Amino acid sequence: GLEQVVSRSFESALETANLVQGAVATTSLDLTSCHAELVLLAVPDSALELVIAQLQLPKNACVAHTSGSLPLE
């Protein structure tokens, strides 16, 4: 299930986390202590490079990005 919700705004993260039982809200991009197998980045394409530079992943986690503004090509 969903373990953590990360957002620039804690209030935004909390609003989303409250929709999923057991999910934790945070603003930290240090995910090394969570057990995620998949990290989904739902950020604008223009923010992707900055987020990736700050992101600290758990061992063996896969990362996917969804934005929709760029074609798959």
Side-chain angles (χ1 to χ4, degrees):
L2 183 65
E3 187 174 332
Q4 284 186 319
V5 176
V6 181
S7 180
R8 289 177 291 182
S9 153
F10 181 77
E11 292 78 18
S12 179
L14 186 59
E15 183 179 338
T16 302
N18 283 337
L19 298 173
V20 180
Q21 183 177 7
V24 176
T26 185
T27 57
S28 173
L29 288 172
D30 181 354
L31 305 178
T32 55
S33 64
C34 76
H35 304 342
E37 295 176 8
L38 174 65
V39 174
L40 179 62
L41 303 177
V43 300
D45 294 330
S46 60
L48 190 58
E49 189 174 341
L50 178 64
V51 170
I52 289 173
Q54 297 176 25
L55 189 61
Q56 297 177 33
L57 296 168
K59 188 175 182 176
N60 298 321
C62 293
V63 178
H65 171 249
T66 178
S67 173
S69 68
L70 294 178
L72 293 175
E73 301 171 348

